[in-house]
Amino acid sequence: MPTQAALYDISPPISEALAVYPGDTPPTREIICRIDRGDPVNLSALHATVHLGAHADAPRHYSQDAPGMDACDLDRYLGRCQVVRVAAHPRQLLTPADVPAPITAPRVLLATGTYPDPTRFTEDYAGLTPELIDHLQAAGVILVGVDTPSVDAFNTEGLPAHHACLRTDIHILEGLMLSDVPPGEYELIALPLRLVDCDGSPVRAVLRTLPTRP
Ligand SMILES: [Zn+2]
Protein backbone atom coordinates (compact mmCIF):
# COMPACT_ATOMS: atom_id res chain seq x y z
CA MET A 1 0.00 0.00 0.00
CA PRO A 2 1.41 3.45 -0.90
CA THR A 3 1.90 5.73 2.05
CA GLN A 4 -0.50 8.67 2.01
CA ALA A 5 1.27 11.92 1.10
CA ALA A 6 1.41 14.49 3.89
CA LEU A 7 0.93 18.21 3.29
CA TYR A 8 2.85 20.92 5.08
CA ASP A 9 1.17 24.31 4.89
CA ILE A 10 4.07 26.78 4.76
CA SER A 11 1.96 29.94 4.38
CA PRO A 12 1.31 32.24 7.34
CA PRO A 13 -2.34 33.10 8.08
CA ILE A 14 -3.52 36.26 6.32
CA SER A 15 -5.32 38.59 8.69
CA GLU A 16 -4.91 42.15 9.87
CA ALA A 17 -2.39 40.77 12.38
CA LEU A 18 0.07 39.81 9.62
CA ALA A 19 3.16 42.03 9.54
CA VAL A 20 4.43 43.48 6.26
CA TYR A 21 7.70 45.15 5.29
CA PRO A 22 7.99 48.69 6.73
CA GLY A 23 6.32 51.13 4.35
CA ASP A 24 4.35 48.40 2.61
CA THR A 25 0.55 48.13 2.84
CA PRO A 26 -0.73 45.81 5.57
CA PRO A 27 -3.88 43.79 4.89
CA THR A 28 -7.23 45.30 5.75
CA ARG A 29 -10.55 43.59 5.13
CA GLU A 30 -13.62 45.64 4.36
CA ILE A 31 -16.87 43.78 4.92
CA ILE A 32 -19.27 44.89 2.22
CA CYS A 33 -22.25 42.60 2.93
CA ARG A 34 -23.12 40.62 6.05
CA ILE A 35 -25.68 37.84 6.41
CA ASP A 36 -26.08 38.70 10.11
CA ARG A 37 -27.15 42.20 9.06
CA GLY A 38 -29.74 40.94 6.57
CA ASP A 39 -27.66 40.76 3.41
CA PRO A 40 -28.06 37.63 1.26
CA VAL A 41 -24.31 36.89 1.40
CA ASN A 42 -21.12 37.69 3.28
CA LEU A 43 -18.87 39.70 0.99
CA SER A 44 -15.44 41.17 1.65
CA ALA A 45 -12.90 43.36 -0.09
CA LEU A 46 -9.22 42.96 0.68
CA HIS A 47 -6.74 45.82 0.51
CA ALA A 48 -3.08 44.83 0.83
CA THR A 49 0.35 44.69 -0.73
CA VAL A 50 0.80 41.86 -3.22
CA HIS A 51 3.93 40.95 -1.17
CA LEU A 52 1.61 39.52 1.44
CA GLY A 53 2.67 36.66 3.70
CA ALA A 54 3.96 33.80 1.54
CA HIS A 55 4.49 35.48 -1.81
CA ALA A 56 6.32 35.37 -5.12
CA ASP A 57 8.42 38.31 -6.24
CA ALA A 58 7.98 38.83 -9.97
CA PRO A 59 11.23 40.00 -11.61
CA ARG A 60 9.34 43.23 -12.36
CA HIS A 61 9.64 43.95 -8.61
CA TYR A 62 13.36 44.69 -8.94
CA SER A 63 13.78 45.48 -12.65
CA GLN A 64 11.49 47.73 -14.67
CA ASP A 65 11.75 45.78 -17.93
CA ALA A 66 11.63 42.28 -16.40
CA PRO A 67 8.57 40.00 -16.56
CA GLY A 68 5.50 40.76 -14.48
CA MET A 69 3.76 38.11 -12.43
CA ASP A 70 1.43 36.89 -15.20
CA ALA A 71 4.42 36.31 -17.51
CA CYS A 72 6.24 34.01 -15.08
CA ASP A 73 6.28 30.34 -15.99
CA LEU A 74 4.13 28.36 -13.55
CA ASP A 75 6.55 25.41 -13.71
CA ARG A 76 8.82 27.43 -11.45
CA TYR A 77 6.36 27.26 -8.59
CA LEU A 78 5.33 23.65 -8.94
CA GLY A 79 7.51 20.58 -8.63
CA ARG A 80 10.42 18.93 -6.92
CA CYS A 81 11.82 20.99 -4.09
CA GLN A 82 14.42 20.65 -1.33
CA VAL A 83 14.09 22.13 2.13
CA VAL A 84 17.51 22.96 3.56
CA ARG A 85 17.99 24.01 7.17
CA VAL A 86 20.85 26.46 7.72
CA ALA A 87 22.32 27.43 11.07
CA ALA A 88 21.98 31.19 10.62
CA HIS A 89 22.52 33.86 13.21
CA PRO A 90 20.66 37.19 13.19
CA ARG A 91 21.57 39.48 10.24
CA GLN A 92 23.90 36.85 8.81
CA LEU A 93 24.67 37.09 5.10
CA LEU A 94 24.60 33.48 3.96
CA THR A 95 27.32 32.18 1.65
CA PRO A 96 27.73 28.80 -0.05
CA ALA A 97 29.72 27.61 2.99
CA ASP A 98 26.57 28.06 5.11
CA VAL A 99 24.65 25.61 2.89
CA PRO A 100 26.83 22.51 3.01
CA ALA A 101 24.04 20.06 2.10
CA PRO A 102 24.24 18.86 -1.51
CA ILE A 103 21.57 20.52 -3.64
CA THR A 104 19.40 17.76 -5.09
CA ALA A 105 16.32 19.55 -6.47
CA PRO A 106 15.66 22.48 -8.83
CA ARG A 107 13.77 24.40 -6.16
CA VAL A 108 15.39 25.15 -2.81
CA LEU A 109 13.76 26.54 0.32
CA LEU A 110 16.19 27.83 2.95
CA ALA A 111 14.98 27.53 6.53
CA THR A 112 17.02 30.09 8.48
CA GLY A 113 14.82 30.37 11.58
CA THR A 114 15.67 34.08 11.78
CA TYR A 115 12.14 35.48 11.35
CA PRO A 116 10.05 33.43 13.77
CA ASP A 117 6.81 35.42 14.10
CA PRO A 118 4.88 36.55 10.99
CA THR A 119 2.82 38.96 13.10
CA ARG A 120 5.87 40.91 14.29
CA PHE A 121 8.26 42.51 11.80
CA THR A 122 11.83 42.14 13.00
CA GLU A 123 14.85 43.53 11.16
CA ASP A 124 17.52 41.02 12.08
CA TYR A 125 16.67 38.18 9.70
CA ALA A 126 19.40 36.56 7.63
CA GLY A 127 19.97 37.42 3.97
CA LEU A 128 21.53 35.71 0.95
CA THR A 129 24.74 36.76 -0.76
CA PRO A 130 25.08 36.86 -4.57
CA GLU A 131 27.71 34.13 -4.15
CA LEU A 132 25.08 31.83 -2.66
CA ILE A 133 22.68 32.61 -5.53
CA ASP A 134 25.47 31.77 -8.02
CA HIS A 135 26.13 28.54 -6.12
CA LEU A 136 22.46 27.58 -6.36
CA GLN A 137 22.35 28.35 -10.07
CA ALA A 138 25.42 26.20 -10.65
CA ALA A 139 23.52 23.36 -8.95
CA GLY A 140 20.61 23.79 -11.38
CA VAL A 141 18.26 25.74 -9.12
CA ILE A 142 15.40 27.71 -10.77
CA LEU A 143 13.63 28.95 -7.63
CA VAL A 144 14.77 29.92 -4.15
CA GLY A 145 12.47 30.43 -1.20
CA VAL A 146 13.15 31.90 2.24
CA ASP A 147 11.46 31.98 5.65
CA THR A 148 12.14 35.71 5.93
CA PRO A 149 10.54 38.83 4.40
CA SER A 150 13.31 39.16 1.79
CA VAL A 151 16.22 37.32 0.17
CA ASP A 152 18.22 40.45 1.01
CA ALA A 153 18.99 41.30 4.61
CA PHE A 154 17.10 44.31 5.99
CA ASN A 155 18.09 47.67 4.49
CA THR A 156 20.69 46.14 2.17
CA GLU A 157 21.69 48.81 -0.31
CA GLY A 158 21.04 47.89 -3.93
CA LEU A 159 19.28 44.57 -3.23
CA PRO A 160 22.24 42.41 -4.36
CA ALA A 161 20.51 39.06 -3.79
CA HIS A 162 17.44 40.11 -5.80
CA HIS A 163 19.66 41.30 -8.66
CA ALA A 164 21.72 38.11 -8.51
CA CYS A 165 18.44 36.20 -8.91
CA LEU A 166 17.60 38.34 -11.94
CA ARG A 167 21.02 37.70 -13.47
CA THR A 168 20.85 33.94 -12.84
CA ASP A 169 17.14 33.61 -13.76
CA ILE A 170 16.21 32.24 -10.33
CA HIS A 171 12.70 33.12 -9.14
CA ILE A 172 11.94 34.07 -5.55
CA LEU A 173 9.48 33.05 -2.84
CA GLU A 174 9.52 34.95 0.45
CA GLY A 175 7.62 34.91 3.72
CA LEU A 176 7.45 31.11 4.00
CA MET A 177 6.97 29.28 7.30
CA LEU A 178 9.42 26.40 7.46
CA SER A 179 9.98 25.80 11.18
CA ASP A 180 7.90 22.59 11.25
CA VAL A 181 9.22 21.09 8.03
CA PRO A 182 11.95 18.45 8.23
CA PRO A 183 14.79 18.95 5.74
CA GLY A 184 14.51 16.86 2.61
CA GLU A 185 12.74 16.64 -0.71
CA TYR A 186 9.10 17.45 -1.36
CA GLU A 187 6.77 18.57 -4.10
CA LEU A 188 6.27 22.34 -3.89
CA ILE A 189 2.91 23.85 -4.83
CA ALA A 190 2.98 27.66 -4.61
CA LEU A 191 1.17 29.16 -7.59
CA PRO A 192 1.03 32.95 -7.90
CA LEU A 193 -2.14 34.67 -9.08
CA ARG A 194 -2.24 35.73 -12.72
CA LEU A 195 -1.77 39.41 -11.89
CA VAL A 196 -1.10 41.26 -15.13
CA ASP A 197 2.18 43.23 -15.17
CA CYS A 198 2.28 43.01 -11.37
CA ASP A 199 5.44 42.96 -9.24
CA GLY A 200 4.42 39.98 -7.12
CA SER A 201 1.59 37.85 -5.81
CA PRO A 202 0.51 36.10 -2.65
CA VAL A 203 0.78 32.31 -2.95
CA ARG A 204 -0.70 29.48 -0.93
CA ALA A 205 2.51 27.58 -0.47
CA VAL A 206 2.41 23.93 0.51
CA LEU A 207 4.88 21.07 0.48
CA ARG A 208 3.70 17.56 -0.27
CA THR A 209 5.77 14.59 0.79
CA LEU A 210 6.97 12.48 -2.10
CA PRO A 211 5.56 8.98 -2.50
CA THR A 212 7.75 6.40 -0.83
CA ARG A 213 8.93 3.73 -3.19
CA PRO A 214 8.10 0.12 -2.28
ZN1 LIG B 1 11.76 40.23 -2.54
Side-chain angles (χ1 to χ4, degrees):
M1 288 283 287
T3 314
Q4 182 119 27
L7 273 188
Y8 288 93
D9 190 345
I10 55 170
S11 317
I14 294 175
S15 76
E16 295 187 4
L18 181 64
V20 298
Y21 203 90
D24 209 343
T25 308
T28 52
R29 177 182 168 208
E30 181 187 0
I31 299 179
I32 311 291
C33 299
R34 295 176 60 143
I35 291 173
D36 64 4
R37 296 240 177 109
D39 294 320
V41 291
N42 290 318
L43 185 68
S44 304
L46 180 67
H47 184 66
T49 173
V50 293
H51 300 258
L52 183 65
H55 69 273
D57 275 3
R60 177 71 53 87
H61 182 45
Y62 35 92
S63 178
Q64 183 55 44
D65 299 324
M69 198 75 262
D70 59 312
C72 293
D73 190 350
L74 288 180
D75 287 349
R76 301 275 184 160
Y77 305 97
L78 190 64
R80 208 158 54 83
C81 176
Q82 181 182 5
V83 173
V84 178
R85 198 159 295 285
V86 293
H89 59 69
R91 297 186 194 274
Q92 185 170 351
L93 296 176
L94 299 168
T95 69
D98 299 309
V99 186
I103 301 302
T104 59
R107 300 164 193 81
V108 170
L109 307 185
L110 297 172
T112 72
T114 57
Y115 188 79
D117 182 356
T119 67
R120 200 167 63 88
F121 190 90
T122 44
E123 301 177 356
D124 59 354
Y125 52 85
L128 280 47
T129 58
E131 292 72 27
L132 177 52
I133 301 297
D134 287 337
H135 169 72
L136 294 175
Q137 185 207 28
V141 170
I142 58 170
L143 174 133
V144 66
V146 289
D147 61 350
T148 66
S150 175
V151 291
D152 277 292
F154 187 69
N155 266 350
T156 305
E157 184 111 18
L159 301 176
H162 283 86
H163 286 284
C165 287
L166 185 68
R167 173 170 53 75
T168 55
D169 195 27
I170 291 178
H171 284 217
I172 299 172
L173 291 176
E174 295 168 332
L176 304 173
M177 297 206 346
L178 298 171
S179 56
D180 294 336
V181 184
E185 279 202 26
Y186 300 86
E187 178 189 17
L188 171 72
I189 304 162
L191 299 177
L193 301 177
R194 200 171 184 176
L195 297 173
V196 174
D197 289 339
C198 206
D199 47 275
S201 171
V203 298
R204 181 63 177 267
V206 300
L207 291 168
R208 185 154 60 180
T209 54
L210 298 175
T212 48
R213 294 194 183 88

